């Protein structure tokens, strides 16, 4: 504000006080004499009280930020523990025929995912092992579904718009949102991991993909041993 006061503006006064730290030391009574309106009511408070209120508000803001940091740290630790247990269960699944089921059920359990589906079809250079052709995860799918999977450079997250992949789930009609994770080996997509939820906000187009990408990479590495 620049309202003139006998040739001196408010900016001039503010600059003077900022650049003259000894002013209030020489005029200490002003700290109590100057009355301001408290932001916590209409009562008048001294300049000292107003400064204390501002400081308390700042401290409360810092406390909230610290609590948020602690909460996020605890959440990240819990996710890391779930990821560890899932990877351990997958690594202990030595039977190739049971690996897809273990990977899906443990993923569903650890991360509280309502429905999980999986399809594997191999690639020209690395087809699925013939002895695994009878697995539920090796059931045939359309060429369109394979082409869509090959088009994914990152996981797809969003509303279930009638994707064929939703029909691989136990009850695809109840799925409102999906995460589709391409499974990649030697640069070729050889399968698709499907996470489904009845909550339309569980998987959204604007959510971060870092963790889902890591899940897809781990699943790809584990399931690659099923390829010839």
């Amino acid at each position: 504000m620049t309202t003139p006061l006998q040739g001196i503006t408010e900016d001039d006064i503010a600059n003077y006080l900022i650049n003259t730290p000894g002013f209030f030391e020489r005029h200490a009574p002003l700290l109590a004499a100057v009355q301001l309106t408290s932001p916590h009511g209409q009562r008048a408070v001294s300049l000292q009280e107003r400064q204390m209120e501002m400081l308390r508000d700042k401290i409360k803001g810092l406390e909230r930020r610290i609590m948020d940091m602690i909460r996020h740290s605890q959440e990240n630790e819990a996710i890391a523990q779930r990821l560890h247990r899932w990877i351990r269960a997958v690594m202990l699944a030595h039977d190739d025929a049971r690996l897809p089921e273990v990977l899906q059920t443990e993923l569903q359990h650890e991360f509280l995912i309502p429905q999980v589906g999986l399809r594997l079809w191999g690639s020209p250079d690395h087809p699925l092992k013939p002895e695994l052709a009878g697995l539920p995860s090796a059931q045939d799918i359309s060429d369109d579904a394979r082409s869509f999977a090959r088009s994914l450079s990152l996981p797809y997250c969003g509303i279930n718009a009638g994707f064929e992949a939703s029909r691989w789930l136990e009850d695809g009609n109840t799925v409102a949102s999906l995460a589709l994770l391409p499974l990649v080996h030697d640069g070729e997509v050889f399968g698709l991991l499907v996470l489904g939820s009845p909550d339309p906000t569980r998987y959204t187009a604007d959510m971060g993909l870092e963790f889902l990408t890591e899940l897809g990479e781990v699943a790809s590495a584990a399931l690659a041993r099923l390829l010839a």
Side-chain angles (χ1 to χ4, degrees):
M1 296 177 63
T2 58
T3 303
L5 182 63
Q6 296 181 351
I8 301 175
T9 68
E10 291 186 1
D11 287 341
D12 293 333
I13 297 173
N15 289 330
Y16 174 79
L17 293 176
I18 290 173
N19 294 295
T20 314
F23 176 82
F24 283 110
E25 294 178 4
R26 298 190 297 272
H27 302 277
L30 283 176
L31 293 174
V34 174
Q35 297 292 303
L36 304 172
T37 301
S38 170
H40 304 294
Q42 296 302 314
R43 66 187 182 90
V45 296
S46 68
L47 182 59
Q48 288 174 313
E49 290 178 282
R50 182 70 179 90
Q51 288 177 318
M52 290 299 296
E53 289 179 347
M54 292 174 63
L55 183 59
R56 281 193 292 268
D57 289 341
K58 185 176 182 179
I59 292 173
K60 288 180 180 178
L62 292 174
E63 289 176 343
R64 285 193 293 269
R65 291 181 60 185
I66 292 173
M67 293 305 297
D68 287 341
M69 292 173 63
I70 293 174
R71 186 179 69 255
H72 292 155
S73 174
Q74 293 172 338
E75 291 173 351
N76 290 337
E77 182 179 358
I79 290 174
Q81 291 174 351
R82 295 190 186 105
L83 184 62
H84 169 77
R85 290 193 295 266
W86 176 60
I87 294 175
R88 182 177 183 275
V90 169
M91 293 180 67
L92 289 174
H94 301 300
D95 183 355
D96 287 354
R98 290 198 63 248
L99 175 58
E101 179 185 357
V102 171
L103 185 144
Q104 292 176 87
T105 56
E106 292 299 321
L107 182 64
Q108 187 173 6
H109 169 71
E110 291 294 345
F111 295 98
L112 305 177
I113 302 172
Q115 298 188 57
V116 177
L118 175 67
R119 285 293 184 275
L120 303 170
W121 54 84
S123 66
D125 294 332
H126 301 283
L128 198 64
K129 292 179 179 179
E131 63 270 25
L132 303 177
L135 293 178
S137 57
Q139 295 178 27
D140 196 23
I141 65 172
S142 71
D143 291 337
D144 287 343
R146 298 189 191 199
S147 297
F148 176 75
R150 287 195 294 267
S151 72
L152 296 176
S153 57
L154 292 171
Y156 165 86
C157 292
I159 296 298
N160 177 19
F163 290 104
E164 178 180 331
S166 67
R167 299 199 291 272
W168 308 342
L169 302 172
E170 183 178 356
D171 187 5
N173 294 327
T174 64
V175 172
S177 64
L178 286 170
L180 306 177
L181 285 59
L183 304 175
V184 183
H185 178 65
D186 281 353
E188 293 288 339
V189 174
F190 69 92
L192 192 65
L193 182 61
V194 186
L195 316 179
S197 172
D199 181 0
T201 64
R202 176 70 181 267
Y203 303 109
T204 60
D206 58 350
M207 69 184 298
L209 298 178
E210 292 83 0
F211 182 67
L212 289 176
T213 299
E214 292 177 0
L215 282 184
E217 291 175 350
V218 172
S220 298
L223 294 168
R225 82 183 201 209
L226 306 185
L227 303 176

